[in-house]
Amino acid sequence: MKIVITDYKDSMMPTHDYEKEILINGLGSCEVVIYEYQDEKREEFYEIIKDADAILTAFTKIDKEAMDHAPNLKVISMNATGFDNVDLEEANKRGIGVCPVGEYCTIDVAEFTIAILLTLVKNIKIYTQDVEQKHQWRYDVGIANKRIEDMVLGIFGFGKIGKAVGRRARALGMTVIACDPFIHQESGKEWSIEMVGAEEIYAKADIITNNMNANETNTDFFHFENFRKMRKQPYFINMGRGSCVVESDLITALDNGYLKGVGLDVLRDETPDLASHPLIGRDNVIVTPHAAFYTQSSIDELQKLSTENIVYYLRGEKQKVFKLVSNS
């Protein structure tokens, strides 16, 4: 059997020894190929996968054309919770399993969200830049915000991560409201979190965080008209997907004072040109490289679950696969 582990260079794990160990121990004799994917070398990628039984990736596009070049392909395992880079309909037609990781970094992303929230509200970036770059010692260079416990946090997306963010924000004394049309209205009561509509979050929130999964209902969800509805000039944090935000509208909202600041762990493009990106270099904007998941604990869990999904699927033990989203 041949397993191809592939992704953009910047998205690849630092080492793949753990993944190889799990695959070889689980499947016995197998060939494991590590391939740094590049869009401009798509034909080379097709050559690599032409005899692959399994592909392990997060961001490499596996569309109909890719599947045409991989006639032996049986399973696509995602070392991510999302699978929007895979043509699921085509995979279903061909009986190819698609296995995302349903859970591995909830705690890590929730912690990171709170860290970004505190960094924005407490002016940490501005103070650090002022001290280190300008050699100034001024407390009043940043915004004098309210105390955290006097603020309202509005959460879009009240799944596992949204709930974890809400619990941590409540522990800081914040009032938390959440919006999620797919979640039962009673689901927040356990943590004293009220489920509301989007308009109420726009009206009441001092800080808004996006923790939605990407789907057809929330592409371009945060556009200019919705930013303009945000009455309290909130801080906006995106820990969900870049596709949820119209970046040009976000920039316009910042420039027009509809937002105090922004924290983004994702951009629209997963391989952005940072040298010329209009959100880079702003005092009130924090951009991190899709790193919210990144702890040793989460990496170990991610590698373990995604490779075990391949092992179980290829051994015919589909009931053991962590999450199977195709009809294979």
Side-chain angles (χ1 to χ4, degrees):
M1 290 186 178
K2 179 178 178 180
I3 292 88
V4 176
I5 300 175
T6 183
D7 230 315
Y8 295 96
K9 181 178 180 179
D10 292 343
S11 302
M12 296 284 274
M13 293 294 181
T15 175
H16 297 277
D17 292 343
Y18 186 37
E19 293 162 306
K20 288 180 180 178
E21 179 184 344
I22 293 171
L23 290 168
I24 291 170
N25 287 342
L27 297 171
S29 178
C30 64
E31 179 186 5
V32 181
V33 176
I34 311 300
Y35 178 74
E36 291 183 359
Y37 177 79
Q38 299 177 62
D39 287 327
E40 61 270 24
K41 294 186 177 181
R42 190 74 174 173
E43 293 300 323
E44 183 178 277
F45 171 64
Y46 292 154
E47 183 67 21
I48 293 291
I49 65 172
K50 68 180 182 180
D51 53 351
D53 295 279
I55 295 174
L56 174 59
T57 190
F59 300 111
T60 305
K61 188 176 185 65
I62 311 296
D63 54 12
K64 179 181 183 299
E65 186 175 2
M67 294 179 202
D68 285 342
H69 283 84
N72 294 333
L73 188 61
K74 301 171 182 66
V75 59
I76 303 163
S77 181
M78 314 299 297
N79 57 347
T81 56
F83 50 93
D84 44 309
N85 291 306
V86 176
D87 186 333
L88 189 60
E89 182 179 353
E90 193 64 32
N92 280 328
K93 289 179 182 177
R94 299 168 187 246
I96 297 171
V98 179
C99 311
V101 175
E103 164 67 53
Y104 77 98
C105 63
T106 294
I107 292 172
D108 312 279
V109 176
E111 290 175 348
F112 201 90
T113 303
I114 296 299
I116 293 294
L117 182 157
L118 291 170
T119 300
L120 286 168
V121 173
K122 296 300 183 182
N123 302 306
I124 303 300
K125 179 179 179 180
I126 296 172
Y127 288 143
T128 301
Q129 289 182 159
D130 217 40
V131 170
E132 293 184 353
Q133 298 175 16
K134 300 179 182 178
H135 302 152
Q136 295 188 145
W137 194 257
R138 296 175 53 201
Y139 67 83
D140 60 348
V141 69
I143 299 172
N145 286 303
K146 295 184 290 186
R147 291 173 178 156
I148 293 290
E149 67 178 20
D150 294 330
M151 289 184 161
V152 176
L153 173 65
I155 300 173
F156 281 91
F158 204 57
K160 292 176 182 177
I161 293 174
K163 290 183 175 70
V165 170
R167 291 197 297 272
R168 284 157 177 77
R170 288 287 298 138
L172 293 172
M174 299 186 77
T175 298
V176 182
I177 54 180
C179 176
D180 193 322
F182 302 103
I183 298 294
H184 194 275
Q185 292 299 302
E186 301 295 312
S187 61
K189 284 191 173 181
E190 181 180 351
W191 302 287
S192 300
I193 296 171
E194 183 184 1
M195 301 299 296
V196 300
E199 299 298 322
E200 191 164 346
I201 289 184
Y202 297 147
K204 293 182 176 180
D206 298 287
I207 304 164
I208 293 174
T209 178
N210 174 41
N211 295 105
M212 294 187 290
N213 292 322
N215 59 56
E216 66 277 2
T217 70
N218 58 37
T219 299
D220 297 338
F221 186 91
F222 295 102
H223 52 75
F224 182 71
E225 288 305 315
N226 284 339
F227 286 125
R228 194 164 64 170
K229 294 176 184 177
M230 298 177 184
R231 299 302 179 197
K232 299 172 78 171
Q233 295 176 292
Y235 291 96
F236 177 75
I237 299 170
N238 187 14
M239 293 289 143
R241 288 289 184 265
S243 61
C244 296
V245 179
V246 180
E247 283 184 1
S248 59
D249 289 357
L250 175 63
I251 292 163
T252 302
L254 273 167
D255 291 343
N256 285 276
Y258 294 118
L259 301 170
K260 287 189 180 75
V262 171
L264 305 170
D265 189 47
V266 288
L267 294 173
R268 194 79 177 205
D269 187 349
E270 274 295 335
T271 55
D273 180 3
L274 297 177
S276 61
H277 200 288
L279 284 166
I280 302 300
R282 295 172 178 248
D283 289 344
N284 62 343
V285 176
I286 297 171
V287 178
T288 52
H290 209 157
F293 77 97
Y294 188 60
T295 65
Q296 189 60 56
S297 303
S298 69
I299 289 172
D300 288 347
E301 190 76 358
L302 177 58
Q303 289 183 308
K304 178 176 182 290
L305 291 172
S306 59
T307 47
E308 283 183 345
N309 278 344
I310 291 174
V311 170
Y312 291 140
Y313 194 94
L314 292 180
R315 291 198 320 210
E317 300 172 1
K318 294 182 184 180
Q319 73 280 4
K320 293 183 180 180
V321 171
F322 190 89
K323 187 176 182 180
L324 183 62
V325 294
S326 61
N327 297 324
S328 58

